[in-house]
Amino acid sequence: MSDILDQAVAELNEKMSGAGFASSAKFAIADVGAIVLDASGARISDEDTDVTLSADADTFQQIISGEMNPTGAFMSGKLTIDGDMGVAMQLASALA
């Protein structure tokens, strides 16, 4: 498994604990893999979810670290969203 994915899963589980995120979302990271987030936490997986957020590894790491706002990444074209936009907005709020 990728160190990027392992580190991101740990960071996401820490950020999302107690966030009450009841939907499901997938971060698809170009040339690296995918992470699924749902009520049980973050894990390396490529299963179907309510929404898929796609970005390159650099953008993804900036979003997770808080250096880049997910909404700003979407508006600048660095992050694409496929699926339920409402779930994407809930996730952005939970990560803030």
Side-chain angles (χ1 to χ4, degrees), residues 19-68:
F21 185 68
S23 300
S24 63
K26 176 171 36 180
F27 283 106
I29 307 151
D31 301 321
V32 177
I35 295 172
V36 169
L37 278 158
D38 58 21
S40 58
R43 63 192 172 281
I44 298 171
S45 178
D46 196 20
E47 61 200 66
D48 289 337
T49 58
D50 297 325
V51 66
T52 299
L53 299 95
S54 303
D56 62 29
D58 186 50
T59 299
F60 174 72
Q61 287 180 310
Q62 288 180 32
I63 290 170
I64 298 304
S65 70
E67 294 174 39
M68 183 180 291

Side-chain angles (χ1 to χ4, degrees), residues 60-91:
F60 174 72
Q61 287 180 310
Q62 288 180 32
I63 290 170
I64 298 304
S65 70
E67 294 174 39
M68 183 180 291
N69 178 297
T71 304
F74 174 72
M75 297 300 275
S76 67
K78 293 182 177 186
L79 176 72
T80 58
I81 298 172
D82 182 29
D84 190 325
M85 185 63 79
V87 172
M89 299 293 280
Q90 290 172 6
L91 180 59

